[in-house]
Amino acid sequence: MERTWTTALAGKIGQLVRLMGWLHRLRQHRNVSFLVLRDAKGLAQIVVEDPALVERVAALHAESVLAVTGVVVARPEAPGGVEVHQPVFDVITAASEPPPFDLFRPRLPAQLPTILDHAPVALRHPRHRAYFQLAAALTGGFRATLRDLDFTEIQTPKLVAGATESGADVFPVDYFGQTAYLAQSPQFYKQMMVGVFERVYEVGPVFRAEPHDTPRHLNEYVSLDAEMGFITDHTEVMAVLSRVLAGMLGAVRAEAAAALTLLELELPEVPAAIPSLHFTEAVELVSTATGEDARHEPDLAPAHERWLGDWAKREHGSDFLFVVGYPMRKRPFYTHPDPHRPDYSNGFDLIFRGLELVTGGQRLHRHEDYLTTIAARGLSASSLAGYLDAFKHGMPPHGGFAIGLERFVARLVGADNIRETTLFPRDLHRLTP
Amino acid sequence: MERTWTTALAGKIGQLVRLMGWLHRLRQHRNVSFLVLRDAKGLAQIVVEDPALVERVAALHAESVLAVTGVVVARPEAPGGVEVHQPVFDVITAASEPPPFDLFRPRLPAQLPTILDHAPVALRHPRHRAYFQLAAALTGGFRATLRDLDFTEIQTPKLVAGATESGADVFPVDYFGQTAYLAQSPQFYKQMMVGVFERVYEVGPVFRAEPHDTPRHLNEYVSLDAEMGFITDHTEVMAVLSRVLAGMLGAVRAEAAAALTLLELELPEVPAAIPSLHFTEAVELVSTATGEDARHEPDLAPAHERWLGDWAKREHGSDFLFVVGYPMRKRPFYTHPDPHRPDYSNGFDLIFRGLELVTGGQRLHRHEDYLTTIAARGLSASSLAGYLDAFKHGMPPHGGFAIGLERFVARLVGADNIRETTLFPRDLHRLTP
């Protein structure tokens, strides 16, 4: 007999169906018991009246895997408006222990470390599962939008010979007796690939050996990267990013509607023109409003990003805000300066609900500019030889951006800690499960 | 003026257009010269008659980046049937050196090590570029087919606490003073996620510290992984794999048609039913035909895979062949035995044109079966604690497969060495570029 998804029951009233899934909950009453079965799509309520059957089911631990055959009955007061009656159970796999926490509560009744210790079980909770349905939809929307814009997908190596971003924050790997490093970003490779495909994107892991123990940092995360050639400046990159964000949120609406309902989420709108402030304007606003003089800082403090996020919401009704033209001295060596104000960059951050979500900008494209900046910053041209090769041989003006996937989900669902929206987080203290 | 792609010229005869791209080739004749410009999509021939202009262009190294404005003229004998006349050139970026090899030759005139040393330039060659257009289309087809079959995309960590496949072949990472390892596969995580989404897939890097220096091995490659729950046995996994292969090749036809034409490729058909041999039948066939007694080997030798590939082509007209039921002793500990012949597994390989392309099978799903096999194989249950947690709490019968992306492209294009179809290969001797 073919399997029916729990979410398809409402269309099968009066029919005999076969469900398969996990024993989510059993509520025993004097005359009748209710078993809630969970499958990949949803939940179904099964009415068990036969005392012998109730006893058999009650002997199973929650999370046992069952097949249930029964008749679908309309019941307006039941969840989803249907129930399954006259059930026959097959135990596919009996759980050997009860779960470490009740999965049927609206929120997992456990602290974050316990949830993370038991991730294989915790992720089965409908709310946690929904986070990763959002992540899958966002990722799909990222790719689909860029494919429509003539971008080509690439997969670049994660074992590399040196740092791409900051030299200190790389993980060393014992590579057949040599030292390799884990890529902090696909930055160099996506730039090189602009010489091949002009427009490229990659979805992949990045590794940051930052010894930060904060609710915002991970040591491994998923980066959604794009890079494009033949641009005039960073504003074209920002325009593509705006379309990508709209495409990502559109994919969530289209493909993760059930997750949105379950999480009771309002998705943000991407404004036709995302409000934009120059870095100098942003620090001026913050300094005037807060009385803290941020005018000589090379970067925005987290509290100032939050203030600017509130400002964008208040003044422009926007959850998104571009801050453009960060000082060159805090941006990586490949950053292109603003030709009119060379102490400032053609680089931007996108702040989403008060947190930096995307970093991007125009990159240097002339070989001689790379040699100059590498010398000025005291970097080693020889360790960058492979990368510089691309620039010797003709590269167009180009730029791109990188979106942190887990961070995007965390801000969308209002998670306090990015670990909640990370499948199996890696941090200073955690390498398992 | 808006940019025109080289491939769109045939629709713009008589119009003034602006092209952008790389100086692919300059052919100088006494009265006229021909400049070939390459962009991300193709090539265009530009006729240069003005001697001053020829001199200016001839002073540039190949691979300089240009914008060219000119008039499109029909010219049946020119490549693509069109030429651009009366050109005006803007040099966007002058190359600072000539390329290490001529990119305009039908094949790159260099040995593989030279090609790999200069990958950022070599990948610009239309033939090499086409390999990665195939890879992008195959990857897109993999995802699209599985999404249609209710699979959910996941991204699992690459920094892990131990080995998943063979204990010897892992790269150690210095992780804040602890030792972490690079994931040899997403095997454990995709299985755990069957408990969450039932059907999952992942496209991501895998790392194998195998000290093999062969044309078939890489130390980092892209694995296309899928895993599905509520199966009867491995044959359902094989059925999904067949649909996935058809979807991948269909995506190549739909999205990489120009690459197929350029490479003069015939894509294989996926038969409605891929021929299948039990391992014991396969070794019997090989032993009888070759006179080499392979009957007591636990695995197929590369030469025997080649022989079987030829056999499938000859006997069944198929480029694909399933070999099913490999001996348990050579399969990983999570392999599900054949209930009727417990020395053999519910595992399979898919041989494509004589090379193992996919490995898959049914996995154990009962917690007690894991404990038994872990004890019997002398593995450590404590180092597998996080993984085993999933099985304590109810897992359905499940199975899955993994496709090696670079290997698939290599077999499709007939590359002698997998490094040719790997974006920036990593091997015993190569970590750069």
Side-chain angles (χ1 to χ4, degrees), chain A residues 22 38 40 119-124 128-133 136 422-424, chain B residues 151-157 186-202 226-230 386-387 390-391 394-396 398:
Chain A
W22 285 261
R38 186 189 71 246
V121 190
L123 291 165
R124 299 180 186 182
H128 288 254
R129 191 164 74 174
Y131 296 160
F132 300 96
Q133 287 163 338
T422 304
L423 207 45
F424 295 94
Chain B
F151 283 70
T152 300
E153 178 169 18
I154 55 171
Q155 315 275 345
T156 66
Q187 182 63 34
F188 293 178
Y189 291 98
K190 67 179 182 169
Q191 287 186 260
M192 292 188 241
M193 292 307 289
V194 166
V196 178
F197 289 127
E198 297 188 23
R199 301 184 146 207
V200 295
Y201 66 90
E202 176 164 9
E227 197 77 12
M228 57 192 285
F230 294 99
Y387 173 57
F391 298 96
M395 282 286 282
H398 64 283

Side-chain angles (χ1 to χ4, degrees), chain A residues 401-424:
Chain A
F401 57 84
I403 307 174
L405 177 62
E406 294 86 348
R407 197 174 263 204
F408 201 176
V409 179
R411 290 318 270 175
L412 284 175
V413 306
D416 292 329
N417 192 311
I418 195 168
R419 288 160 185 77
E420 289 180 58
T421 57
T422 304
L423 207 45
F424 295 94

Side-chain angles (χ1 to χ4, degrees), chain A residues 163-164 185-193 333-334 384 387:
Chain A
T164 47
S185 81
Q187 182 63 34
F188 292 177
Y189 291 97
K190 68 178 182 169
Q191 286 186 260
M192 292 188 241
M193 291 306 290
F333 73 90
Y334 50 76
L384 297 168
Y387 173 58

